[in-house]
Amino acid sequence: MAQQADITTMRRAVELAARGLGATSPNPVVGCVITDASGHVVGEGFHQRAGGPHAEVHALREAGVLARGGTAYVTLEPCNHTGRTGPCAQALIEAGVSRVVYAVGDPNPQATGGADTLRAAGAEVEQGLLEAEAEAGNIAWLTSVRHGRPFVRWKYAATLDGRIAAADGTSRWITSAESRTDVHRLRAEADAVVVGSGTARADDPHLAVRGVEGAVQPLRVVVDTEATAVKPGARVLDDAAPTLIAIAEDAGTSPDGAESVRLPRAERGLSVPALLDALHARGVRSVLLEGGPTLAGAFVAAGAVDQVVGYLAPVLLGAGPNALADAGISTITEALRLDVTETVRVGPDLRITATLKGA
Ligand SMILES: NC(=O)c1ccc[n+]([C@@H]2O[C@H](COP(=O)([O-])OP(=O)(O)OC[C@H]3O[C@@H](n4cnc5c(N)ncnc54)[C@H](OP(=O)(O)O)[C@@H]3O)[C@@H](O)[C@H]2O)c1
């Protein structure tokens, strides 16, 4: 049985890890707390950006000599390899830490083995404390390592009767200002924000993060098969964030102000797996898919949605497009069943987060 003090300290490490969301890719988010030999917290740290020091290094620097004989609580198994920074397992050994508690084993074949190195050096090593919480906090990176593609969170804003726009195509604003502010937080946590050409045409969205202090801007991606939806002057072409336009191999050229990537066609539009491969190759580990319903249907059909975040507004429209268009499901036995992981009131709206069963 874990001691309450161990749980409290690891929970703090999980909180610290979350501060790096959106800024560490292609690396994971990691938090670390170091206690001295009598159990007092003497160092804290989190991985702040790719290429920067790992969480353990920040925490060890803060702890200094007080780390000797103490315990390190880390949300992810300390790494064992020298990348842009040295191996953390070795840094913990050199600092004289005598016990290391980590939540999640490192699935990355290049980095794994830190626990063995620590044990071989005589440290007491324990794994699994608050594993589910730490795993949930690092789900984007873990999904990308396990599946070799970015984690995809599909977000939509709908009326209580499931419409994401009115019959005439107008959709501003279905949800409240509070919900729209909340979406900026989701964008800040993502490496890329993706929309289809239909949304680009209808809404001319900006897709950058506003109002989140210290946010790293995500890559704005428009899936525009024929290179016709994003026109000169479009809001995604400003310099608020980088922009990538995904177009077909045989399409024309996209406008100045954005990079483009040419991808193979699918039965409709572009190949979703090819798009995700291209994004992964650029270091994108998490995608916020902001619709619209047609592109979201293609992602669901491709088995490429890991999490759904729906903002439901107490509004009725009665007509207009549904949140999700054809996803290749034609009978109830094929319906995708989800687990609701969170429900939160956001202003007058309800935010529901759900993951695909077995995801
Ligand atoms: N409330 C919300 O949360 C929300 C969010 C977003 C949008 N909207 C609303 O949704 C409406 C637009 O929705 P939409 O469904 O027309 O647009 P969409 O999903 O943004 O874009 C659909 C288009 O994407 C392109 N595409 C590229 N690859 C594809 C693939 N593999 N599968 C399917 N499509 C692919 C296709 O056009 P090409 O192949 O010709 O490029 C397709 O017509 C607007 O009214 C907008 O306001 C609402």
Side-chain angles (χ1 to χ4, degrees), residues 154-158 163-166 169-172 174 195-203 223-229 246 265-266 268-272 290-299 321 325:
W154 165 48
K155 162 262 151 188
Y156 67 89
R163 313 282 171 177
I164 51 87
T170 51
S171 66
R172 283 188 182 158
I174 287 176
V195 294
S197 58
T199 300
R201 278 198 186 91
D203 298 344
V223 189
D224 182 12
T225 314
E226 313 300 341
T228 52
R265 289 177 185 268
R268 176 169 191 187
L270 296 178
S271 157
V272 170
E290 291 207 30
T294 306
L295 189 64
F299 268 68

Side-chain angles (χ1 to χ4, degrees), residues 79-123:
C79 72
N80 202 31
H81 77 308
T82 304
R84 282 185 275 189
T85 61
C88 292
Q90 198 55 41
L92 291 165
I93 293 164
E94 282 164 16
V97 168
S98 58
R99 179 172 169 245
V100 177
V101 183
Y102 67 94
V104 179
D106 194 328
N108 184 352
Q110 288 169 342
T112 195
D116 292 343
T117 301
L118 286 158
R119 272 192 202 97

Side-chain angles (χ1 to χ4, degrees), residues 21-94:
L21 280 170
T24 63
S25 288
N27 293 347
V29 292
V30 186
C32 176
V33 177
I34 294 183
T35 58
D36 65 13
S38 56
H40 293 108
V41 173
V42 290
E44 291 189 339
F46 68 98
H47 187 41
Q48 298 173 6
R49 57 180 177 82
H54 289 183
E56 296 91 324
V57 173
H58 281 296
L60 284 171
R61 275 185 198 156
E62 200 174 291
V65 293
L66 298 175
R68 191 157 293 281
T71 299
Y73 298 82
V74 200
T75 55
L76 186 70
E77 180 180 354
C79 72
N80 202 31
H81 77 308
T82 304
R84 282 185 275 189
T85 61
C88 292
Q90 198 55 41
L92 291 165
I93 293 164
E94 282 164 16

